[in-house]
Amino acid sequence: MVDLTVEIAGLRFKNPIMNAACPISRDGKAIEKLAEGGAGGLVTKTISTTAAKVPRPHMAVINRACIDLIIPQPTDEGVTTRISRVRGAVYGFLNAELWSDLPPEKWFNEEIPYARKIADKYGVPLIVSIGYKADELRVLGPKAVKAGAHAIEFSTHYLGYDYRPVIEAAKALREAVDVPIFPKLSPHIFGLKELVKELEKVPVDGIVAINTLGPTLHIDIETGKPLMGGPLGHGWLSGPCIKPLGLAIVAEIARVTKLPIIGVGGISSPEDVIEYIMVGASAVQVCTQVIIEGPQVFKRLVEGVAKWLKEHGYSSLEDIRGKALKYLPSEGAWFEAKPPVIDESKCISCGYCVQVCNYGALRMVKKNGKRVPVIDPSKCYGCGTCTSICPTRAIHFPEEYWKIK
C-alpha cells in the first residue's frame, strides 16, 4: 500500500497534489469542484485589498495547442524525417488575470467560510492566498484566519526584483497571524539563497515556488493582434514549458533549507509530480492543467503517482524526496566527451537518437533482425541529446559517469 499523505507545518494533506491560486479557485463553488476532483489541499485565488480590474481577453493557449511532431523513419540508407502537426498539445499558457476580481469583503464573508466547510467535509486543509505588500497583509491576514483559513499563502508577484520587500511582507504577516504562512515566490526575484535564509529567520513555515514567468507576448498572425488584452498585450507564462525553471528553483531552495517546499510550474503528468518531489518538494500545486483538463486531473495525477511509486518499489513519497539532489554538483558532472552506452534489448528502433544527433555520431544498422543505433565514439561530443529523447532509455549515460560526493 502506497502512502501519499503529506504533513506540512502541522497540516495533513491526503495527497501531495493541490491546486494553485488561480482562476480555478475563483470562489467557493469553484473550490468545491476541486475538492470533488480529489485535490489534496485547497488554495483560494489571491485576494487583495481591492477587487482586480481584469482585462479581456486574459487567458490563452500558446499556438492554438498545435505542435509539430518529428517522426524519424529509419531506412537502409539512414533516417528520413516526417513532420506531423497535431492539435491538443498545450505546452504553454498565458494569462493577464491579476488577482481576484471579487471584493475582499465577499471573500471573508461568503467565499472563505463556504470553502472552509468544503475543506472540512473532504478532510483537507484550506490555504487562503493573499497579497501583496506588508501593510496589505497586516489587514488581510487576520481577516482570512477569522473567516476560516487553516494557513495563508502570500503572493510576492508584484513586489519587484529585490527580495527585501518579500521579507518585510513575511514579517508583517507573521506578526499578524498565528497560522502557518507560506510565501509564493516569483522566478524573477534576485538573491534567492539570501531570501530563503532571511525567510527562515521570520520564520515562515514553508515556501511555494514558482509563480508564472513574464512578461511575455503572443500574436495572432492572422489579425496582428495580441492574444492578451492587458497593457502592451503582455501576459504571464505557465504550463509545461516552465517546468524546468520551476524545478531548478525548487532544487536551489532545497539545497539551502529544511523548510517544506511546495513546487509549482508545468505539472501535467504523474511523472512531473515525481520529478518535483525528487528535487526536494514536499507537495505540488497545479493550475494550467486543471484549466485545460478539468478538476478530474487530480484523480489522474494521484493514481499515477501511486502507480509509479508501487512499480518502482517505493512505499511513500519520503522514499524519493530529494533523491535527485545528490546528482546536482556545483562544479558540474563531467567535462570529457564520453559517449553514452546502448542497451539493445530496450531499443525499439524508433530512430529518434539518430534524428537528433547534431554530430553525425549515430547511425542505424541491422542486427539480429532489427535496426539498432551504433555510436562512433570519435564523433560523439557527449552532449546527451540522444539520451534525453530515447523513449525507453536504451541509450544512456552509465552510473559511473556521475560524480557523487
Side-chain angles (χ1 to χ4, degrees):
M1 186 72 176
V2 175
D3 180 15
L4 293 184
T5 59
V6 175
E7 186 170 312
I8 300 174
L11 302 173
R12 188 170 180 80
F13 298 82
K14 66 180 182 181
N15 68 65
I17 306 167
M18 63 190 91
N19 69 285
C22 68
I24 59 176
S25 56
R26 59 190 171 273
D27 56 31
K29 288 292 186 181
I31 291 170
E32 184 173 16
K33 292 180 180 178
L34 304 176
E36 292 171 350
L42 303 170
V43 186
T44 71
K45 190 170 173 62
T46 303
I47 306 160
S48 194
T49 52
T50 59
K53 188 177 181 180
V54 179
R56 265 72 171 182
H58 55 82
M59 291 194 289
V61 172
I62 297 293
N63 288 349
R64 299 186 179 273
C66 289
I67 192 168
D68 290 335
L69 295 184
I70 299 172
I71 305 175
Q73 297 175 309
T75 67
D76 291 339
E77 290 73 34
V79 173
T80 60
T81 305
R82 182 167 64 88
I83 302 297
S84 178
R85 172 156 287 200
V86 298
R87 189 175 301 280
V90 179
Y91 57 90
F93 193 85
L94 295 184
N95 89 86
E97 265 267 317
L98 307 176
W99 54 93
S100 176
D101 58 357
L102 297 180
E105 295 78 15
K106 182 170 174 56
W107 273 104
F108 299 136
N109 296 331
E110 300 175 32
E111 308 305 333
I112 294 176
Y114 185 87
R116 174 58 186 264
K117 290 179 182 178
I118 298 302
D120 291 344
K121 175 183 176 182
Y122 285 88
V124 297
L126 174 64
I127 301 174
V128 173
S129 176
I130 61 175
Y132 292 86
K133 299 177 181 178
D135 59 334
E136 296 171 323
L137 300 190
R138 285 191 187 95
V139 174
L140 296 171
K143 291 182 178 180
V145 174
K146 185 178 179 180
H150 289 110
I152 293 178
E153 173 183 293
F154 61 101
S155 175
T156 65
H157 197 57
Y158 298 105
L159 297 184
Y161 297 95
D162 187 347
Y163 71 78
R164 285 173 293 186
V166 177
I167 301 303
E168 293 172 7
K171 289 179 178 177
L173 183 59
R174 179 74 291 162
E175 293 169 359
V177 302
D178 57 4
V179 298
I181 61 172
F182 308 100
K184 184 175 185 179
L185 305 184
S186 292
H188 55 255
I189 295 177
F190 296 149
L192 182 61
K193 293 179 181 179
E194 293 79 6
L195 168 59
V196 171
K197 288 303 180 183
E198 290 298 318
L199 287 171
E200 286 180 332
K201 298 175 185 177
V202 171
V204 299
D205 298 277
I207 296 174
V208 182
I210 57 174
N211 213 320
T212 48
L213 177 66
T216 57
L217 182 64
H218 191 13
I219 301 296
D220 183 342
I221 61 173
E222 297 300 325
T223 66
K225 298 181 177 67
L227 272 70
M228 294 290 95
L232 301 176
H234 286 170
W236 295 84
L237 182 65
S238 63
C241 60
I242 74 164
K243 186 185 72 169
L245 178 60
L247 288 167
I249 292 176
V250 167
E252 187 171 354
I253 295 170
R255 286 163 66 91
V256 298
T257 187
K258 297 298 183 182
L259 287 172
I261 306 166
I262 300 173
V264 195
I267 294 170
S268 63
S269 72
E271 291 77 12
D272 296 332
V273 178
I274 297 295
E275 201 170 354
Y276 268 102
I277 302 298
M278 281 189 171
V279 296
S282 295
V284 299
Q285 293 179 356
V286 186
C287 172
T288 300
Q289 194 63 28
V290 187
I291 293 174
I292 300 301
E293 186 177 337
Q296 64 269 22
V297 67
F298 293 106
K299 184 175 185 292
R300 176 175 68 83
L301 294 177
V302 169
E303 290 178 349
V305 169
K307 181 174 182 288
W308 189 95
L309 290 171
K310 184 177 180 180
E311 289 176 348
H312 288 77
Y314 299 113
S315 60
S316 75
L317 292 167
E318 283 303 307
D319 294 338
I320 63 166
R321 190 160 70 86
K323 181 181 179 181
L325 296 177
K326 65 181 179 181
Y327 294 105
L328 308 178
S330 57
E331 72 277 7
W334 65 90
F335 298 93
E336 306 87 357
K338 299 178 181 180
V341 297
I342 299 171
D343 183 344
E344 294 180 0
S345 67
K346 293 182 178 180
C347 179
I348 59 174
S349 306
C350 67
Y352 274 114
C353 57
V354 178
Q355 173 69 51
V356 301
C357 182
N358 189 45
Y359 301 92
L362 279 158
R363 60 190 178 90
M364 300 292 287
V365 300
K366 283 187 175 180
K367 189 175 181 181
N368 298 325
K370 72 173 185 178
R371 290 189 176 92
V372 296
V374 294
I375 302 173
D376 182 344
S378 68
K379 295 180 178 179
C380 179
Y381 200 67
C383 71
T385 307
C386 59
T387 69
S388 68
I389 201 170
C390 179
T392 63
R393 295 173 174 78
I395 186 166
H396 62 279
F397 289 119
E399 184 73 16
E400 58 264 26
Y401 285 14
W402 294 89
K403 297 176 183 177
I404 304 175
K405 296 181 180 180

